[in-house]
Amino acid sequence: MSISSILSEIAQGIENAISNAGRAKNVGTGVSSRTEQDVENVANTLECTVKGEKGCPHYPALGIADALYKEDKRPTDIFQLFRHGVIIESAEGNYYYVGGASPYWDGKDFLAVQGGACFLVKGENVVKSMRKANIVVVRLKRGHLGRGIEEHWQQPNPPEGCSTPVIGWFETAAENSRDAGGVMPNYLPYYTDYPFHALKVPGILVDVSDDKLSATILKENLKGISDQPPVPFIVARTVGTPFQQKNPNAVINGMMAVAVLDSQLQEKLCNLFITQDDSICNSLSTVKGFSDALIGAPVFTAYSCLSGCKEPGIVGVVASATQLAGPVVSLVLVPLPTAYTDQAFEQLASALGVQDVFNESVRALEKVNGVILSLHDKYNVSYTFASAVMDYVEWDSEEQMMTDAKPYVENYHKLVETLRAHVEREGDPSRADRIERCAEITFYEDYDCWEYDALECVDSTNDSWWR
C-alpha cells in the first residue's frame, strides 16, 4: 500500500471520527462539518508533513520540576506531573522553553529534556510562578551532557510557506485559512503501556521522602525517554475562533485543532514515522481519555503547494484540550512567534500573562552567566567547564555560588595534573591536547567517576570523545 493511500485512509478516519463526535456533541461548525475539499486538504498537508518528518521526527520537550507541591491535594498519577513543550534558541543565542506547567510543581529546579539534551533553570520563585499557569515561557541554560552523550535536539522552525513567484502570497494565505493535517509528537504512549500500578503516585516513579513527594526517579526516566522517537498523534487544524477558556491566559489569537486518539489510525501513522524500531508502534496502546501531560505538546504541519511539499514546521503548542465523543480531543493551540528573538518570546510571555515567570528566569540566567565569567577569570577554567559546574550548585547569591563552585574547580585542576602525568608516563605527547577537553566533557560530581572517565577519554581511539 502506497503512502498516499495510507494517508488518504487516515484522513478519512479523521473525518469519520470528527463527524461522529459532531453528531454526539455540539462542537461547532469548525469541527463537525467538513467538506470533501477539507478532507483532501487534510490528507495533502498530512502527506507533506509525513514525508518531511519521516525517519527524523522533531522531538518535543518534556518538562518537570524536582519536587511536588501538595498543600491542598496530592496528585494521583504521573500524567499530572510532567508536561510537553518545545525548546527554541533565539537569534541572540538564548534558549526558551515554551510549554506546559503543572500546578503540582515545587522546589527550586526545573528541567526540560528534548532529544536527549537537557535544559534547566533554578530558583524557588521561578518554579512557584510556573505552577500558576498552564503554558509558560522561560529562559533556560543548556545543561552539561558529559561522556560525549549523543543528543537529537534540533531547532523547530516555523512551517515553510508557499513562496512561489506572483501567486506565492495568495497561496500562502489560502493554506493558512483552511483545514490542514499535521502531527502532534509526544511521549504519552510510552507511559500508557506501563502497568497501572507503575503510574500511581506515590509509586515506582514518584516516591515519598520525609513526607514529601519526590520526582527524582521520574525525572531520570523522562531523560531516558526523551531521546527515543516520539509517537505522532494525528491532528487536523480547523477554521474558526477558539472557544472561550476558563483561563484567559491560555489563548491569544489561538487556533483550534482536533486530535484523533484512535489506536489503529495512530499505529498506521506511527509506522510511517518511526522506521528504526517496529516495537514502538506494535505496542502502541489506545490513550483512553485526555491526559494533562499533553498540555504544551507541539503541533507540526507542512503545506502542500503548487510547487510541491514545503518543509514541515511548528504551528503552535497545545494550551488546553477537551475530550469529545469517542477518540476525539478538541485542542486549542497557542501559536509561536515566527521570528525567534528575545523580544518575541518576551512579548509571547506577556500576552500569555506569564511575564513574572519569564522575568524570574531571565534574572536567574543573568546571575548564573555572571558567575560563569567570574569562575573563568578567577580560577583560569574554560567557560564550558564553568557552565557545567552551574548544573551542580544551587542558584542562590553570586557569592554563595562562587563558594559552592570552588571544590569542583579545585578537583578540575587536580584532574588535569593527573591526566598530564598519565600522558607523560605513556610517552604519547600527541594525547596532551586532549587533556583539558576530556576533563571538561567527562565532568561528574563524583571525583572517582570523573577521573575514570577522563582517563578513558584520553586513552580512547574514538574521536567522538574529544571533538
Side-chain angles (χ1 to χ4, degrees):
M1 184 179 289
S2 68
I3 185 173
S4 297
S5 59
I6 291 174
L7 289 166
S8 295
E9 182 181 340
I10 291 173
Q12 192 58 53
I14 295 174
E15 164 63 8
N16 292 338
I18 293 173
S19 297
N20 291 336
R23 286 193 293 270
K25 186 173 183 177
N26 181 18
V27 294
T29 58
V31 177
S32 60
S33 299
R34 307 168 79 86
T35 67
E36 185 175 334
Q37 183 62 48
D38 292 332
V39 177
E40 183 179 350
N41 292 338
V42 169
N44 289 341
T45 54
L46 184 60
E47 181 173 359
C48 286
T49 306
V50 171
K51 285 181 176 179
E53 296 270 278
K54 187 177 180 182
C56 52
H58 284 93
Y59 291 71
L62 291 167
I64 191 168
D66 67 334
L68 309 174
Y69 177 69
K70 62 182 185 69
E71 186 173 291
D72 300 321
K73 60 179 181 178
R74 281 189 175 184
T76 57
D77 63 68
I78 65 168
F79 297 118
Q80 297 169 288
L81 305 180
F82 71 89
R83 294 290 186 267
H84 283 79
V86 66
I87 303 291
I88 298 175
E89 183 179 9
S90 71
E92 293 84 356
N94 295 307
Y95 294 98
Y96 292 93
Y97 169 83
V98 183
S102 168
Y104 294 101
W105 287 350
D106 200 12
K108 295 182 179 181
D109 296 2
F110 171 74
L111 175 76
V113 287
Q114 183 170 323
C118 296
F119 303 82
L120 67 150
V121 65
K122 299 185 183 184
E124 189 173 2
N125 291 335
V126 177
V127 177
K128 284 186 176 180
S129 299
M130 290 175 75
R131 68 178 183 228
K132 299 175 183 178
N134 62 341
I135 296 292
V136 295
V137 183
V138 293
R139 184 180 292 183
L140 302 178
K141 172 190 175 297
R142 189 159 188 170
H144 173 70
L145 289 174
R147 284 190 61 94
I149 295 174
E150 183 181 1
E151 61 176 65
H152 306 286
W153 179 82
Q154 58 179 311
Q155 183 85 311
N157 293 316
E160 182 183 347
C162 300
S163 55
T164 52
V166 184
I167 63 169
W169 67 270
F170 175 80
E171 197 174 356
T172 299
E175 284 292 344
N176 284 323
S177 64
R178 69 189 192 188
D179 288 13
V183 296
M184 179 174 58
N186 68 94
Y187 290 100
L188 281 187
Y190 281 83
Y191 290 99
T192 54
D193 269 348
Y194 278 34
F196 179 73
H197 70 272
L199 306 176
K200 296 178 65 176
V201 174
I204 296 174
L205 296 174
V206 178
D207 59 6
V208 179
S209 177
D210 298 328
D211 197 37
K212 293 182 179 180
L213 293 173
S214 171
T216 301
I217 300 175
L218 177 57
K219 182 166 66 173
E220 293 303 311
N221 186 274
L222 291 173
K223 286 182 181 179
I225 291 290
S226 74
D227 68 350
Q228 300 300 305
V231 178
F233 283 0
I234 299 164
V235 170
R237 285 175 52 196
T238 65
V239 178
T241 303
F243 53 84
Q244 182 63 40
Q245 299 298 294
K246 292 180 181 179
N247 179 0
N249 295 336
V251 178
I252 23 78
N253 298 322
M255 301 174 289
M256 286 195 70
V258 287
V260 182
L261 308 185
D262 178 87
S263 59
Q264 291 184 342
L265 292 179
Q266 284 183 37
E267 187 170 347
K268 288 179 182 292
L269 185 63
C270 181
N271 282 318
L272 291 174
F273 269 77
I274 303 175
T275 58
Q276 66 270 47
D277 190 347
D278 292 339
S279 64
I280 294 174
C281 299
N282 293 340
S283 62
L284 185 61
S285 62
T286 302
V287 178
K288 297 179 180 178
F290 165 69
S291 169
D292 288 342
L294 272 182
I295 297 297
V299 173
F300 291 85
T301 196
Y303 294 134
S304 174
C305 305
L306 294 178
S307 58
C309 290
K310 298 302 180 180
E311 287 296 314
I314 186 170
V315 292
V317 297
V318 175
S320 64
T322 304
Q323 185 76 41
L324 304 179
V328 179
V329 172
S330 177
L331 307 173
V332 174
L333 309 180
V334 169
L336 298 185
T338 54
Y340 293 162
T341 64
D342 288 344
Q343 182 181 18
F345 287 107
E346 183 175 10
Q347 290 173 345
L348 177 61
S350 177
L352 287 168
V354 291
Q355 183 81 48
D356 57 337
V357 183
F358 180 90
N359 290 341
E360 287 286 351
S361 69
V362 170
R363 281 194 288 268
L365 264 296
E366 288 176 345
K367 182 169 61 177
V368 164
N369 288 336
V371 174
I372 291 172
L373 290 173
S374 297
L375 288 173
H376 169 74
D377 294 340
K378 184 174 181 178
Y379 295 113
N380 191 30
V381 295
S382 69
Y383 294 112
T384 300
F385 176 74
S387 176
V389 171
M390 292 299 97
D391 293 3
Y392 291 89
V393 303
E394 294 298 329
W395 294 6
D396 297 317
S397 68
E398 293 189 28
E399 181 180 357
Q400 186 61 49
M401 292 166 72
M402 288 290 291
T403 299
D404 293 343
K406 187 176 180 180
Y408 297 112
V409 173
E410 291 173 345
N411 279 340
Y412 170 82
H413 288 299
K414 174 184 173 183
L415 178 62
V416 168
E417 290 305 313
T418 299
L419 296 177
R420 187 170 288 117
H422 172 76
V423 169
E424 289 176 357
R425 284 195 304 270
E426 293 295 313
D428 186 357
S430 65
R431 300 181 187 179
D433 59 353
R434 306 177 189 173
I435 290 174
E436 292 186 0
R437 179 59 178 153
C438 283
E440 292 173 1
I441 65 175
T442 60
F443 173 54
Y444 192 69
E445 193 171 22
D446 184 297
Y447 181 79
D448 291 337
C449 293
W450 185 9
E451 180 181 10
Y452 178 87
D453 287 347
L455 285 168
E456 183 181 347
C457 173
V458 167
D459 291 339
S460 176
T461 57
N462 185 350
D463 288 348
S464 64
W465 271 103
W466 51 85
R467 261 179 205 157

